[in-house]
Amino acid sequence: MRRLNRKKTLNLMKELDAFPKVPESYVETSASGGTVSLIAFTTIAFLTIMEFTVYRDTWMKYEYEVDKDFTSKLRINIDITVAMRCQYVGADVLDLAETMVASADGLIYEPVVFELTPQQKEWQRMLQIIQSRLQEEHSLQDVIFKSAFKSASTALPPREDNSLQSPDACRIHGHLYVNKVAGNFHITVGKAIPHPRGHAHLAALVSHESYNFSHRIDHLSFGELIPGIINPLDGTEKIASDHNQMFQYFITVVPTKLHTYKISAETHQFSVTERERVINHAAGSHGVSGIFMKYDISSLMVTVTEEHMPFWQFLVRLCGIIGGIFSTTGILHGFGRFIAEVVFCRFRLGSYRSASVPLPDGHTSNHLPLTTDNSTH
């Protein structure tokens, strides 16, 4: 009974088959058809592999909107080494919104040796190469976003040699929380002191001969600290050519929400413009010697999302590749056979043309002469 039901079901399915069938006796194989089929299958295999590679890959989608968060604090992550002793320099932030000096209690002043070890120099050289490549190839930033938290730390390797050289520099590192408004983070001579009318540093006790604002920026970022992200100023080193020299960095900070398959964080990207000049009041170059980082917060926020091709879209593209290759090769094969038949048929017609036979009266006859057995004698 079950067998009968199965046969009925199979017969019903066969009756529902709407695709045309060509009897095998009507199919004629040829060398040209086999060659075209081989080319078609090879092309399908190659394009399928390429499409699978695209399916496995991801890309970053950028969306822009107005940043409506004005109440939260902005975190500044700092790791800068200045070629002066720690008792001679001071770092703080001047908040332009409240026209007051923000607290710099989160910074640590550590006496160090300014000259790097060979291992640290190699790290700095590699970081500078990456920075130069990022400026030329902006798409590499997507790779950095994808590899966040997975790549090695971008921090300066610790000093391994036990140098007996006395510290001649000051490493200022830590983080600060400031308002999300334009401000000025600066490192200059003397410690900062609170002042009701403005901003002051105790620089009178420091001689001008000890001024040396050669510095190295090992790390500077805004927002949440994300290992693996390389910022524009990481690895920057500037050597002062004069005691009274000012280094200025004009920074535009863009709030960024990063959503990948590995992390979800709120950070900040930034662009920077650099300027340096020697302070000479006699020549009209006024100012204060030091390192000044003037930052401004963009009103736009960028949302960076890692996206992946859906599986159904991969199947649709795969079916399009297979069907398109078969249709295209079939059309080309038919067109090629048509051209070949036309050319060969023309040659065959030429071979059956009648030969011209000269007559005694000077005329020619286009009829082929009859050959008989007697004509050979």
Side-chain angles (χ1 to χ4, degrees):
M1 192 69 179
R2 293 180 179 178
R3 292 182 177 179
L4 293 176
N5 292 333
R6 290 179 180 176
K7 289 182 178 180
K8 290 181 179 180
T9 304
L10 291 175
N11 292 332
L12 179 62
M13 297 300 293
K14 290 180 179 180
E15 292 177 359
L16 292 175
D17 188 0
F19 295 98
K21 301 295 183 296
V22 179
E24 294 183 0
S25 59
Y26 293 171
V27 178
E28 179 182 358
T29 59
S30 62
S32 61
T35 303
V36 173
S37 299
L38 183 61
I39 295 174
F41 286 128
T42 304
T43 306
I44 289 174
F46 175 74
L47 292 180
T48 301
I49 295 174
M50 296 296 294
E51 192 65 28
F52 182 71
T53 304
V54 174
Y55 169 72
R56 291 186 57 189
D57 194 14
T58 59
W59 61 89
M60 309 304 292
K61 179 181 178 182
Y62 293 82
E63 297 177 339
Y64 302 89
E65 58 181 321
V66 177
D67 185 15
K68 301 178 181 179
D69 184 12
F70 302 106
T71 58
S72 63
K73 296 291 184 178
L74 174 64
R75 172 170 170 160
I76 306 178
N77 307 296
I78 302 164
D79 191 352
I80 301 176
T81 302
V82 185
M84 292 181 65
R85 297 185 182 276
C86 291
Q87 62 266 27
Y88 296 157
V89 294
D92 57 339
V93 178
L94 181 62
D95 192 338
L96 297 183
E98 300 180 1
T99 63
M100 62 177 294
V101 179
S103 175
D105 297 335
L107 297 179
I108 301 173
Y109 294 79
E110 179 184 352
V112 294
V113 178
F114 186 77
E115 185 179 359
L116 297 176
T117 63
Q119 181 185 4
Q120 293 174 332
K121 288 182 179 179
E122 182 65 20
W123 168 87
Q124 186 185 34
R125 187 183 67 85
M126 292 300 299
L127 195 57
Q128 290 174 351
I129 293 175
I130 295 174
Q131 293 284 15
S132 62
R133 294 296 298 171
L134 284 173
Q135 294 178 2
E136 297 175 359
E137 303 290 341
H138 299 285
S139 59
L140 293 178
Q141 186 64 44
D142 293 349
V143 180
I144 294 178
F145 281 149
K146 294 178 186 179
S147 61
F149 278 132
K150 296 189 298 182
S151 60
S153 176
T154 57
L156 180 69
R159 199 173 190 92
E160 295 182 353
D161 60 340
N162 297 322
S163 177
L164 300 178
Q165 182 182 357
S166 60
D168 59 350
C170 183
R171 179 191 175 197
I172 304 173
H173 59 98
H175 60 272
L176 300 172
Y177 287 95
V178 299
N179 296 322
K180 292 184 67 174
V181 293
N184 181 6
F185 169 76
H186 52 272
I187 302 173
T188 187
V189 179
K191 302 297 181 182
I193 58 174
H195 195 277
R197 292 188 176 181
H199 181 222
H201 284 262
L202 288 174
L205 301 178
V206 183
S207 63
H208 286 77
E209 288 74 17
S210 61
Y211 286 14
N212 185 5
F213 284 100
S214 299
H215 62 280
R216 183 178 60 252
I217 304 175
D218 297 327
H219 179 79
L220 179 70
S221 64
F222 297 83
E224 184 178 347
L225 186 61
I226 302 178
I229 298 297
I230 299 177
N231 297 278
L233 287 176
D234 293 354
T236 300
E237 183 175 289
K238 299 291 184 180
I239 304 299
S241 58
D242 192 271
H243 294 292
N244 296 327
Q245 191 157 350
M246 174 189 288
F247 296 91
Q248 291 178 306
Y249 299 92
F250 301 93
I251 300 173
T252 302
V253 183
V254 181
T256 304
K257 291 184 178 180
L258 182 62
H259 301 287
T260 67
Y261 289 102
K262 297 295 181 179
I263 64 170
S264 180
E266 294 187 5
T267 181
H268 292 71
Q269 303 179 81
F270 66 90
S271 60
V272 60
T273 302
E274 304 176 12
R275 183 189 177 191
E276 59 182 84
R277 59 189 176 91
V278 177
I279 302 300
N280 189 351
H281 298 286
S285 178
H286 304 290
V288 179
S289 302
I291 305 167
F292 297 85
M293 298 183 177
K294 299 181 179 181
Y295 60 89
D296 192 9
I297 311 298
S298 175
S299 59
L300 292 179
M301 180 176 63
V302 182
T303 302
V304 185
T305 307
E306 185 178 8
E307 292 192 345
H308 186 270
M309 182 188 296
F311 183 70
W312 64 266
Q313 187 175 353
F314 169 70
L315 291 180
V316 170
R317 292 167 65 98
L318 197 62
C319 293
I321 289 174
I322 296 174
I325 293 297
F326 271 119
S327 300
T328 304
T329 53
I331 293 173
L332 294 177
H333 181 240
F335 183 73
R337 289 190 62 181
F338 173 75
I339 296 297
E341 289 179 358
V342 169
V343 173
F344 289 141
C345 183
R346 187 172 181 180
F347 281 129
R348 290 174 183 174
L349 290 175
S351 63
Y352 285 109
R353 287 180 180 177
S354 58
S356 298
V357 179
L359 297 177
D361 57 355
H363 295 83
T364 58
S365 175
N366 294 326
H367 298 284
L368 293 174
L370 295 175
T371 57
T372 59
D373 292 339
N374 296 329
S375 63
T376 60
H377 298 289

